[in-house]
């Protein structure tokens, strides 16, 4: 038995007329009669009573009709699910992201993606850039939204979402807070709140920004998260170089200062990353939405 026979049985049961059923099935009447006889023979029961008065369902036919309709429905759902999955329109997409991505990036992307692909379940996981890289390499994530630069030997593809500058954040009563113009040289004698190795990309870029100007920053405290660095600066533990997207102008206890000479080689930003071994239709659909929201070369460095 196949689903073609079930379809023929249901249509004949609904019309109770071989000619009308054959027309709906776009076939001639004799092959339909043969097919129904074959189905009855295979089942070992009579599904229809045929007489001069017409065609009617037997008790066995009545009992089988609902199950046949249900089987056809589930078969259609099966085919729809398989085809939707092959087009990336159904399934689960695992996305890792750094905390900074919640400032404008995820809120811009997720509603658009969910509207276009409502059959895809998004599984979001906040993490750090190096952990996201490892998860992508190990196929535990499908897409990552992470900070660059990132130090890793993993072979990943990248798409730039946002480029940023470093800003200096200082306590409101700090001696640098009132200066109208600041350069990296003005920070030589300052205590820094700096990034740990867990934030290797930001640490590398911030170190480079200082070393290009001839000094190594004097580190008083370290933290892995940008928000923690900012809180330690607020507590008077030192100054910090932070991504411009992290600026919080409503915090009156802090002042955010642009620096005139942060080297281009110390640039930072946020990118989407994925493994070239995992370019499924679903991943491609997500990347397509990313590119619609953040077109190539359209994201200038954020400023103070």
């Amino acid at each position: 038995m196949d689903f073609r026979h079930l379809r023929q049985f249901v249509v004949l049961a609904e019309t109770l007329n071989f000619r009308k059923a054959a027309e709906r099935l776009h076939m001639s009447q004799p092959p339909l009669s043969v097919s129904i006889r074959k189905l009855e023979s295979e089942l070992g029961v009579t599904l229809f009573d045929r007489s001069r008065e017409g065609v009617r369902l037997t008790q066995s036919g009545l009992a089988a009709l609902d199950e046949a309709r249900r089987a056809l429905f589930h078969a259609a759902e099966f085919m729809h699910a398989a085809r939707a999955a092959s087009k990336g329109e159904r399934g689960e997409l695992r996305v890792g992201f750094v905390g900074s991505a919640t400032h404008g990036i995820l809120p811009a992307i997720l509603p658009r993606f969910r509207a276009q692909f409502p059959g895809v379940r998004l599984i979001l996981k906040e993490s750090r850039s190096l952990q996201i890289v490892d998860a992508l390499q190990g196929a535990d994530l499908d897409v990552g939204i992470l900070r660059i630069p990132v130090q890793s030997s993993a072979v990943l593809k990248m798409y730039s979402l946002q480029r940023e500058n470093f800003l200096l954040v200082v306590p409101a009563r700090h001696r640098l807070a009132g200066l109208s113009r600041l350069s990296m040289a003005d920070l030589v004698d300052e205590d820094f709140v700096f990034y740990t190795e867990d934030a290797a990309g930001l640490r590398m870029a911030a170190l480079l920004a200082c070393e290009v100007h001839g000094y190594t920053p004097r580190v008083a405290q370290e933290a892995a998260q940008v928000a923690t660095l900012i809180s330690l600066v607020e507590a008077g533990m030192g100054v910090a170089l932070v991504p411009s997207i992290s600026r919080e102008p409503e915090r009156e206890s802090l002042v955010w200062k642009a620096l005139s000479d942060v080297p281009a080689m110390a640039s930072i930003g946020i990118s989407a990353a994925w493994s070239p071994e995992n370019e499924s239709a679903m991943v491609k659909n997500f990347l397509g939405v990313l590119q619609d929201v953040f077109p190539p070369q359209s994201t200038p460095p954020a400023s103070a």
Side-chain angles (χ1 to χ4, degrees):
M1 181 183 10
D2 58 31
F3 288 106
R4 178 174 55 89
H5 288 143
L6 288 182
R7 170 73 173 153
Q8 292 167 349
F9 163 67
V10 169
V11 171
L12 182 57
E14 292 172 349
T15 61
L16 294 177
N17 184 289
F18 275 93
R19 179 181 58 79
K20 292 181 179 178
E23 288 175 355
R24 279 179 54 180
L25 292 164
H26 305 290
M27 63 189 298
S28 60
Q29 185 174 332
L32 175 60
S33 298
V34 171
S35 184
I36 294 297
R37 289 288 188 193
K38 182 177 179 182
L39 177 61
E40 290 176 320
S41 176
E42 186 175 342
L43 294 174
V45 298
T46 300
L47 299 172
F48 296 96
D49 281 332
R50 300 137 171 107
S51 67
R52 291 185 177 181
E53 287 75 29
V55 179
R56 63 184 179 88
L57 283 164
T58 64
Q59 289 293 81
S60 296
L62 282 169
L65 182 57
D66 283 345
E67 290 301 324
R69 285 171 172 156
R70 192 172 293 113
L72 288 173
F73 170 79
H74 287 300
E77 286 294 294
F78 168 79
M79 288 186 289
H80 175 71
R83 289 169 180 167
S86 71
K87 297 177 182 178
E89 297 171 353
R90 183 174 292 191
E92 291 184 348
L93 185 70
R94 302 160 300 170
V95 180
F97 65 95
V98 293
S100 300
T102 60
H103 299 283
I105 293 179
L106 288 180
I109 296 168
L110 297 185
R112 179 86 67 93
F113 183 80
R114 293 182 67 185
Q116 291 185 26
F117 302 98
V120 175
R121 180 181 173 225
L122 285 169
I123 300 176
L124 304 175
K125 181 178 180 181
E126 184 175 5
S127 190
R128 292 194 285 269
S129 294
L130 284 176
Q131 293 172 331
I132 291 172
V133 168
D134 290 341
L136 290 171
Q137 192 173 25
D140 296 318
L141 288 175
D142 301 304
V143 180
I145 300 177
L146 46 77
R147 280 212 160 274
I148 55 170
V150 60
Q151 292 178 310
S152 173
S153 59
V155 178
L156 297 175
K157 290 188 175 182
M158 295 274 189
Y159 180 81
S160 177
L161 299 173
Q162 188 173 68
R163 290 169 288 164
E164 302 172 71
N165 295 322
F166 272 128
L167 294 179
L168 180 72
V169 59
V170 299
R173 295 185 179 181
H174 194 278
R175 68 176 187 87
L176 299 176
L179 298 183
S180 59
R181 181 178 175 84
L182 281 176
S183 68
M184 291 298 301
D186 294 319
L187 312 181
V188 172
D189 297 322
E190 296 298 323
D191 289 332
F192 278 82
V193 181
F194 221 72
Y195 300 96
T196 65
E197 292 291 350
D198 287 335
L202 286 173
R203 179 183 178 91
M204 178 176 64
L207 276 172
L208 182 61
C210 296
E211 290 172 350
V212 164
H213 290 280
Y215 65 94
T216 299
R218 189 170 66 209
V219 177
Q221 296 290 331
E222 290 187 339
Q225 301 290 343
V226 175
T228 306
L229 263 75
I230 293 171
S231 293
L232 290 174
V233 171
E234 192 172 28
M237 303 305 296
V239 303
L241 296 171
V242 298
S244 50
I245 197 174
S246 304
R247 184 172 183 253
E248 301 176 51
E250 69 278 2
R251 290 174 76 160
E252 297 180 356
S253 59
L254 295 171
V255 173
W256 314 79
K257 308 292 291 186
L259 293 158
S260 61
D261 55 356
V262 176
M265 65 182 69
S267 63
I268 54 176
I270 296 178
S271 288
W274 67 99
S275 171
E277 296 180 359
N278 180 19
E279 293 188 316
S280 66
M282 204 180 313
V283 169
K284 290 179 179 178
N285 289 342
F286 190 79
L287 297 174
V289 172
L290 285 179
Q291 292 171 4
D292 287 342
V293 178
F294 297 95
Q297 308 302 317
S298 71
T299 51
S303 63

